[in-house]
Amino acid sequence: MVQLTRIYTKSGDKGKTALGNGTRVAKNDIRVAAYGTVDETNAVIGVARLHASGDVDAMLARIQNDLFDLGADLCTPGDGSDDNPERPALRITPTQTERLESEIDAINAGLDPLTSFVLPGGSALSAQLHVARTVSRRAERLIVELAGIEAINPEAVRYINRLSDHMFVLARHANNGGKDDILWQPGLTR
């Protein structure tokens, strides 16, 4: 375990930061923006957990840990194919994405069918999960942009795509199984 003895490093004072392999890049590099937005997603989920309990809180805790894995994956250039086998980089795995898919299926099975688009809101937990959903979508756009420039672990894209789906169904679950969802009414205020 790394022990931090200083809060500030001063190493970023000139607008550069170190990646997982030691390479220094500008703090506004697309890679830094991608894993920074993953970190932002994690922080929003932390706020959502203030309103969660039981199985929902446990799911969110696992997801928060996965998001640190995802950040580590994105922080280390490459797609994993050329990682040092003696010291491979931490990468998101299909098992992590498959767990999200299983949870999505289980949650969705108990929801009322959708009859309209859902507006963010309802319960405090649902509202925060909708914020997490939208921030994770922004992270996904940045990760996809990064993948268009450099090789990355393709599982990173799959995981973040499933995460936003997970946040959506969990937000509906937090609204009394969808019964308390706020539905969009097209043209309502014309």
Side-chain angles (χ1 to χ4, degrees), residues 91-128:
R91 302 288 182 193
I92 285 289
T93 66
T95 302
Q96 289 167 293
T97 306
E98 290 160 5
R99 190 193 74 246
L100 285 181
E101 290 172 346
S102 293
E103 290 174 356
I104 290 166
D105 292 343
I107 296 164
N108 200 46
L111 298 178
D112 281 358
L114 278 174
T115 58
S116 178
F117 286 102
V118 175
L119 299 177
S123 69
L125 176 57
S126 178
Q128 285 296 320

mmCIF file of all heavy atoms in Angstrom, residues 91-128:
data_model
loop_
_atom_site.group_PDB
_atom_site.id
_atom_site.type_symbol
_atom_site.label_atom_id
_atom_site.label_comp_id
_atom_site.label_asym_id
_atom_site.label_seq_id
_atom_site.Cartn_x
_atom_site.Cartn_y
_atom_site.Cartn_z
ATOM 1 N N ARG A 91 -6.151 -3.804 -15.788
ATOM 2 C CA ARG A 91 -7.080 -3.591 -16.893
ATOM 3 C C ARG A 91 -8.476 -4.052 -16.480
ATOM 4 O O ARG A 91 -8.633 -5.014 -15.726
ATOM 5 C CB ARG A 91 -6.660 -4.389 -18.137
ATOM 6 C CG ARG A 91 -5.264 -4.090 -18.656
ATOM 7 C CD ARG A 91 -5.173 -2.736 -19.302
ATOM 8 N NE ARG A 91 -3.826 -2.496 -19.828
ATOM 9 C CZ ARG A 91 -3.390 -1.325 -20.211
ATOM 10 N NH1 ARG A 91 -4.187 -0.271 -20.144
ATOM 11 N NH2 ARG A 91 -2.170 -1.179 -20.661
ATOM 12 N N ILE A 92 -9.481 -3.366 -16.987
ATOM 13 C CA ILE A 92 -10.871 -3.813 -16.816
ATOM 14 C C ILE A 92 -11.016 -5.140 -17.550
ATOM 15 O O ILE A 92 -10.473 -5.317 -18.644
ATOM 16 C CB ILE A 92 -11.842 -2.753 -17.386
ATOM 17 C CG1 ILE A 92 -11.929 -1.559 -16.454
ATOM 18 C CG2 ILE A 92 -13.224 -3.314 -17.654
ATOM 19 C CD1 ILE A 92 -12.661 -1.809 -15.150
ATOM 20 N N THR A 93 -11.766 -6.069 -16.971
ATOM 21 C CA THR A 93 -11.920 -7.403 -17.554
ATOM 22 C C THR A 93 -13.367 -7.646 -17.982
ATOM 23 O O THR A 93 -14.296 -6.993 -17.471
ATOM 24 C CB THR A 93 -11.531 -8.482 -16.529
ATOM 25 O OG1 THR A 93 -12.470 -8.461 -15.455
ATOM 26 C CG2 THR A 93 -10.114 -8.274 -15.999
ATOM 27 N N PRO A 94 -13.571 -8.604 -18.879
ATOM 28 C CA PRO A 94 -14.949 -8.949 -19.255
ATOM 29 C C PRO A 94 -15.810 -9.349 -18.062
ATOM 30 O O PRO A 94 -17.012 -9.074 -18.046
ATOM 31 C CB PRO A 94 -14.764 -10.117 -20.234
ATOM 32 C CG PRO A 94 -13.414 -9.895 -20.835
ATOM 33 C CD PRO A 94 -12.581 -9.323 -19.697
ATOM 34 N N THR A 95 -15.216 -9.967 -17.052
ATOM 35 C CA THR A 95 -15.971 -10.377 -15.867
ATOM 36 C C THR A 95 -16.629 -9.177 -15.187
ATOM 37 O O THR A 95 -17.774 -9.260 -14.730
ATOM 38 C CB THR A 95 -15.047 -11.115 -14.875
ATOM 39 O OG1 THR A 95 -14.475 -12.229 -15.537
ATOM 40 C CG2 THR A 95 -15.800 -11.580 -13.652
ATOM 41 N N GLN A 96 -15.938 -8.045 -15.147
ATOM 42 C CA GLN A 96 -16.497 -6.855 -14.517
ATOM 43 C C GLN A 96 -17.685 -6.317 -15.320
ATOM 44 O O GLN A 96 -18.707 -5.938 -14.755
ATOM 45 C CB GLN A 96 -15.416 -5.785 -14.357
ATOM 46 C CG GLN A 96 -14.386 -6.160 -13.296
ATOM 47 C CD GLN A 96 -13.158 -5.287 -13.336
ATOM 48 O OE1 GLN A 96 -12.379 -5.328 -14.286
ATOM 49 N NE2 GLN A 96 -12.984 -4.481 -12.291
ATOM 50 N N THR A 97 -17.561 -6.330 -16.639
ATOM 51 C CA THR A 97 -18.653 -5.883 -17.500
ATOM 52 C C THR A 97 -19.829 -6.852 -17.406
ATOM 53 O O THR A 97 -20.988 -6.423 -17.322
ATOM 54 C CB THR A 97 -18.177 -5.760 -18.957
ATOM 55 O OG1 THR A 97 -17.029 -4.909 -18.998
ATOM 56 C CG2 THR A 97 -19.263 -5.196 -19.854
ATOM 57 N N GLU A 98 -19.543 -8.131 -17.390
ATOM 58 C CA GLU A 98 -20.605 -9.142 -17.301
ATOM 59 C C GLU A 98 -21.370 -9.033 -15.983
ATOM 60 O O GLU A 98 -22.580 -9.256 -15.940
ATOM 61 C CB GLU A 98 -20.005 -10.541 -17.485
ATOM 62 C CG GLU A 98 -19.531 -10.771 -18.911
ATOM 63 C CD GLU A 98 -18.528 -11.911 -19.044
ATOM 64 O OE1 GLU A 98 -18.248 -12.614 -18.035
ATOM 65 O OE2 GLU A 98 -18.013 -12.081 -20.164
ATOM 66 N N ARG A 99 -20.674 -8.678 -14.898
ATOM 67 C CA ARG A 99 -21.367 -8.483 -13.625
ATOM 68 C C ARG A 99 -22.366 -7.339 -13.739
ATOM 69 O O ARG A 99 -23.512 -7.436 -13.291
ATOM 70 C CB ARG A 99 -20.387 -8.218 -12.482
ATOM 71 C CG ARG A 99 -21.090 -8.258 -11.113
ATOM 72 C CD ARG A 99 -20.283 -7.704 -9.966
ATOM 73 N NE ARG A 99 -20.251 -6.253 -10.075
ATOM 74 C CZ ARG A 99 -19.160 -5.524 -10.320
ATOM 75 N NH1 ARG A 99 -17.999 -6.092 -10.463
ATOM 76 N NH2 ARG A 99 -19.230 -4.220 -10.428
ATOM 77 N N LEU A 100 -21.955 -6.230 -14.389
ATOM 78 C CA LEU A 100 -22.887 -5.121 -14.612
ATOM 79 C C LEU A 100 -24.099 -5.595 -15.411
ATOM 80 O O LEU A 100 -25.237 -5.252 -15.078
ATOM 81 C CB LEU A 100 -22.209 -3.972 -15.367
ATOM 82 C CG LEU A 100 -21.230 -3.095 -14.604
ATOM 83 C CD1 LEU A 100 -20.684 -2.012 -15.535
ATOM 84 C CD2 LEU A 100 -21.857 -2.480 -13.375
ATOM 85 N N GLU A 101 -23.861 -6.379 -16.455
ATOM 86 C CA GLU A 101 -24.962 -6.868 -17.293
ATOM 87 C C GLU A 101 -25.931 -7.726 -16.482
ATOM 88 O O GLU A 101 -27.150 -7.593 -16.622
ATOM 89 C CB GLU A 101 -24.416 -7.645 -18.483
ATOM 90 C CG GLU A 101 -23.710 -6.767 -19.495
ATOM 91 C CD GLU A 101 -22.989 -7.542 -20.587
ATOM 92 O OE1 GLU A 101 -22.800 -8.781 -20.444
ATOM 93 O OE2 GLU A 101 -22.594 -6.906 -21.585
ATOM 94 N N SER A 102 -25.404 -8.596 -15.627
ATOM 95 C CA SER A 102 -26.267 -9.443 -14.786
ATOM 96 C C SER A 102 -27.099 -8.600 -13.835
ATOM 97 O O SER A 102 -28.294 -8.861 -13.631
ATOM 98 C CB SER A 102 -25.422 -10.429 -13.976
ATOM 99 O OG SER A 102 -24.804 -11.353 -14.822
ATOM 100 N N GLU A 103 -26.476 -7.592 -13.254
ATOM 101 C CA GLU A 103 -27.206 -6.714 -12.342
ATOM 102 C C GLU A 103 -28.267 -5.913 -13.090
ATOM 103 O O GLU A 103 -29.394 -5.759 -12.602
ATOM 104 C CB GLU A 103 -26.238 -5.787 -11.608
ATOM 105 C CG GLU A 103 -25.372 -6.529 -10.610
ATOM 106 C CD GLU A 103 -24.293 -5.687 -9.954
ATOM 107 O OE1 GLU A 103 -24.137 -4.498 -10.309
ATOM 108 O OE2 GLU A 103 -23.601 -6.224 -9.070
ATOM 109 N N ILE A 104 -27.936 -5.427 -14.283
ATOM 110 C CA ILE A 104 -28.912 -4.693 -15.101
ATOM 111 C C ILE A 104 -30.122 -5.576 -15.381
ATOM 112 O O ILE A 104 -31.273 -5.151 -15.207
ATOM 113 C CB ILE A 104 -28.285 -4.210 -16.432
ATOM 114 C CG1 ILE A 104 -27.270 -3.103 -16.175
ATOM 115 C CG2 ILE A 104 -29.363 -3.732 -17.412
ATOM 116 C CD1 ILE A 104 -26.370 -2.800 -17.371
ATOM 117 N N ASP A 105 -29.876 -6.815 -15.813
ATOM 118 C CA ASP A 105 -30.976 -7.739 -16.128
ATOM 119 C C ASP A 105 -31.849 -7.997 -14.903
ATOM 120 O O ASP A 105 -33.087 -7.991 -14.995
ATOM 121 C CB ASP A 105 -30.431 -9.057 -16.673
ATOM 122 C CG ASP A 105 -29.785 -8.911 -18.049
ATOM 123 O OD1 ASP A 105 -30.025 -7.888 -18.728
ATOM 124 O OD2 ASP A 105 -29.024 -9.826 -18.435
ATOM 125 N N ALA A 106 -31.219 -8.214 -13.751
ATOM 126 C CA ALA A 106 -31.977 -8.504 -12.529
ATOM 127 C C ALA A 106 -32.809 -7.295 -12.095
ATOM 128 O O ALA A 106 -33.979 -7.442 -11.721
ATOM 129 C CB ALA A 106 -31.022 -8.928 -11.409
ATOM 130 N N ILE A 107 -32.217 -6.105 -12.150
ATOM 131 C CA ILE A 107 -32.945 -4.897 -11.747
ATOM 132 C C ILE A 107 -34.090 -4.624 -12.721
ATOM 133 O O ILE A 107 -35.215 -4.344 -12.321
ATOM 134 C CB ILE A 107 -31.997 -3.677 -11.681
ATOM 135 C CG1 ILE A 107 -30.934 -3.873 -10.606
ATOM 136 C CG2 ILE A 107 -32.783 -2.393 -11.428
ATOM 137 C CD1 ILE A 107 -29.747 -2.926 -10.740
ATOM 138 N N ASN A 108 -33.785 -4.701 -14.002
ATOM 139 C CA ASN A 108 -34.775 -4.377 -15.039
ATOM 140 C C ASN A 108 -35.981 -5.309 -14.994
ATOM 141 O O ASN A 108 -37.104 -4.889 -15.297
ATOM 142 C CB ASN A 108 -34.125 -4.398 -16.422
ATOM 143 C CG ASN A 108 -34.924 -3.630 -17.436
ATOM 144 O OD1 ASN A 108 -35.370 -2.518 -17.180
ATOM 145 N ND2 ASN A 108 -35.118 -4.234 -18.590
ATOM 146 N N ALA A 109 -35.778 -6.547 -14.583
ATOM 147 C CA ALA A 109 -36.884 -7.513 -14.519
ATOM 148 C C ALA A 109 -37.978 -7.067 -13.550
ATOM 149 O O ALA A 109 -39.147 -7.415 -13.724
ATOM 150 C CB ALA A 109 -36.352 -8.891 -14.114
ATOM 151 N N GLY A 110 -37.619 -6.267 -12.549
ATOM 152 C CA GLY A 110 -38.593 -5.824 -11.561
ATOM 153 C C GLY A 110 -39.169 -4.443 -11.820
ATOM 154 O O GLY A 110 -39.925 -3.930 -10.990
ATOM 155 N N LEU A 111 -38.834 -3.839 -12.947
ATOM 156 C CA LEU A 111 -39.300 -2.477 -13.229
ATOM 157 C C LEU A 111 -40.587 -2.471 -14.035
ATOM 158 O O LEU A 111 -40.809 -3.352 -14.871
ATOM 159 C CB LEU A 111 -38.228 -1.700 -14.007
ATOM 160 C CG LEU A 111 -36.895 -1.482 -13.304
ATOM 161 C CD1 LEU A 111 -35.942 -0.736 -14.233
ATOM 162 C CD2 LEU A 111 -37.072 -0.725 -11.999
ATOM 163 N N ASP A 112 -41.403 -1.447 -13.803
ATOM 164 C CA ASP A 112 -42.564 -1.225 -14.666
ATOM 165 C C ASP A 112 -42.076 -0.945 -16.080
ATOM 166 O O ASP A 112 -41.026 -0.312 -16.257
ATOM 167 C CB ASP A 112 -43.373 -0.017 -14.172
ATOM 168 C CG ASP A 112 -44.260 -0.342 -12.984
ATOM 169 O OD1 ASP A 112 -44.284 -1.509 -12.556
ATOM 170 O OD2 ASP A 112 -44.921 0.587 -12.486
ATOM 171 N N PRO A 113 -42.820 -1.393 -17.091
ATOM 172 C CA PRO A 113 -42.398 -1.105 -18.474
ATOM 173 C C PRO A 113 -42.388 0.404 -18.736
ATOM 174 O O PRO A 113 -43.185 1.155 -18.172
ATOM 175 C CB PRO A 113 -43.476 -1.779 -19.323
ATOM 176 C CG PRO A 113 -44.189 -2.712 -18.410
ATOM 177 C CD PRO A 113 -44.023 -2.188 -17.019
ATOM 178 N N LEU A 114 -41.468 0.827 -19.600
ATOM 179 C CA LEU A 114 -41.386 2.242 -19.967
ATOM 180 C C LEU A 114 -42.484 2.593 -20.959
ATOM 181 O O LEU A 114 -42.741 1.858 -21.902
ATOM 182 C CB LEU A 114 -40.029 2.545 -20.607
ATOM 183 C CG LEU A 114 -38.870 2.773 -19.654
ATOM 184 C CD1 LEU A 114 -37.568 2.917 -20.424
ATOM 185 C CD2 LEU A 114 -39.103 3.997 -18.800
ATOM 186 N N THR A 115 -43.110 3.742 -20.742
ATOM 187 C CA THR A 115 -44.125 4.240 -21.674
ATOM 188 C C THR A 115 -43.712 5.581 -22.263
ATOM 189 O O THR A 115 -44.382 6.110 -23.139
ATOM 190 C CB THR A 115 -45.480 4.406 -20.962
ATOM 191 O OG1 THR A 115 -45.314 5.311 -19.869
ATOM 192 C CG2 THR A 115 -45.982 3.061 -20.443
ATOM 193 N N SER A 116 -42.613 6.146 -21.742
ATOM 194 C CA SER A 116 -42.122 7.443 -22.200
ATOM 195 C C SER A 116 -40.673 7.566 -21.751
ATOM 196 O O SER A 116 -40.187 6.747 -20.958
ATOM 197 C CB SER A 116 -42.957 8.570 -21.585
ATOM 198 O OG SER A 116 -42.465 9.831 -21.976
ATOM 199 N N PHE A 117 -39.988 8.588 -22.233
ATOM 200 C CA PHE A 117 -38.671 8.879 -21.706
ATOM 201 C C PHE A 117 -38.820 9.319 -20.247
ATOM 202 O O PHE A 117 -39.831 9.899 -19.865
ATOM 203 C CB PHE A 117 -37.982 9.978 -22.519
ATOM 204 C CG PHE A 117 -37.505 9.504 -23.856
ATOM 205 C CD1 PHE A 117 -38.226 9.800 -25.004
ATOM 206 C CD2 PHE A 117 -36.337 8.770 -23.970
ATOM 207 C CE1 PHE A 117 -37.793 9.365 -26.240
ATOM 208 C CE2 PHE A 117 -35.892 8.335 -25.207
ATOM 209 C CZ PHE A 117 -36.619 8.629 -26.345
ATOM 210 N N VAL A 118 -37.793 9.020 -19.448
ATOM 211 C CA VAL A 118 -37.808 9.335 -18.025
ATOM 212 C C VAL A 118 -37.005 10.612 -17.791
ATOM 213 O O VAL A 118 -35.867 10.723 -18.252
ATOM 214 C CB VAL A 118 -37.206 8.171 -17.204
ATOM 215 C CG1 VAL A 118 -37.105 8.529 -15.732
ATOM 216 C CG2 VAL A 118 -38.017 6.899 -17.404
ATOM 217 N N LEU A 119 -37.612 11.559 -17.092
ATOM 218 C CA LEU A 119 -36.900 12.766 -16.697
ATOM 219 C C LEU A 119 -36.118 12.477 -15.417
ATOM 220 O O LEU A 119 -36.610 11.768 -14.528
ATOM 221 C CB LEU A 119 -37.880 13.910 -16.455
ATOM 222 C CG LEU A 119 -38.726 14.347 -17.650
ATOM 223 C CD1 LEU A 119 -39.698 15.444 -17.235
ATOM 224 C CD2 LEU A 119 -37.843 14.813 -18.793
ATOM 225 N N PRO A 120 -34.913 13.011 -15.288
ATOM 226 C CA PRO A 120 -34.155 12.795 -14.059
ATOM 227 C C PRO A 120 -34.903 13.381 -12.862
ATOM 228 O O PRO A 120 -35.437 14.483 -12.934
ATOM 229 C CB PRO A 120 -32.846 13.563 -14.312
ATOM 230 C CG PRO A 120 -32.725 13.609 -15.799
ATOM 231 C CD PRO A 120 -34.137 13.730 -16.303
ATOM 232 N N GLY A 121 -34.964 12.630 -11.787
ATOM 233 C CA GLY A 121 -35.613 13.112 -10.573
ATOM 234 C C GLY A 121 -36.342 12.010 -9.857
ATOM 235 O O GLY A 121 -36.052 10.834 -10.029
ATOM 236 N N GLY A 122 -37.321 12.416 -9.093
ATOM 237 C CA GLY A 122 -38.035 11.467 -8.243
ATOM 238 C C GLY A 122 -37.402 11.488 -6.871
ATOM 239 O O GLY A 122 -37.339 12.524 -6.222
ATOM 240 N N SER A 123 -36.865 10.368 -6.443
ATOM 241 C CA SER A 123 -36.202 10.306 -5.138
ATOM 242 C C SER A 123 -34.806 10.937 -5.233
ATOM 243 O O SER A 123 -34.253 11.104 -6.326
ATOM 244 C CB SER A 123 -36.078 8.848 -4.683
ATOM 245 O OG SER A 123 -35.150 8.148 -5.497
ATOM 246 N N ALA A 124 -34.246 11.253 -4.071
ATOM 247 C CA ALA A 124 -32.890 11.816 -4.032
ATOM 248 C C ALA A 124 -31.889 10.841 -4.648
ATOM 249 O O ALA A 124 -31.005 11.243 -5.409
ATOM 250 C CB ALA A 124 -32.511 12.161 -2.591
ATOM 251 N N LEU A 125 -32.029 9.552 -4.327
ATOM 252 C CA LEU A 125 -31.122 8.556 -4.888
ATOM 253 C C LEU A 125 -31.267 8.493 -6.403
ATOM 254 O O LEU A 125 -30.271 8.492 -7.127
ATOM 255 C CB LEU A 125 -31.381 7.177 -4.268
ATOM 256 C CG LEU A 125 -30.553 6.020 -4.841
ATOM 257 C CD1 LEU A 125 -29.052 6.289 -4.741
ATOM 258 C CD2 LEU A 125 -30.921 4.714 -4.138
ATOM 259 N N SER A 126 -32.481 8.462 -6.891
ATOM 260 C CA SER A 126 -32.699 8.401 -8.333
ATOM 261 C C SER A 126 -32.085 9.608 -9.029
ATOM 262 O O SER A 126 -31.414 9.468 -10.057
ATOM 263 C CB SER A 126 -34.196 8.313 -8.644
ATOM 264 O OG SER A 126 -34.394 8.294 -10.048
ATOM 265 N N ALA A 127 -32.288 10.789 -8.486
ATOM 266 C CA ALA A 127 -31.738 11.997 -9.093
ATOM 267 C C ALA A 127 -30.213 11.930 -9.173
ATOM 268 O O ALA A 127 -29.622 12.256 -10.204
ATOM 269 C CB ALA A 127 -32.186 13.230 -8.309
ATOM 270 N N GLN A 128 -29.572 11.475 -8.093
ATOM 271 C CA GLN A 128 -28.111 11.366 -8.101
ATOM 272 C C GLN A 128 -27.638 10.298 -9.088
ATOM 273 O O GLN A 128 -26.605 10.464 -9.737
ATOM 274 C CB GLN A 128 -27.586 11.058 -6.699
ATOM 275 C CG GLN A 128 -27.620 12.234 -5.769
ATOM 276 C CD GLN A 128 -26.700 13.348 -6.235
ATOM 277 O OE1 GLN A 128 -25.584 13.122 -6.709
ATOM 278 N NE2 GLN A 128 -27.177 14.576 -6.125
#
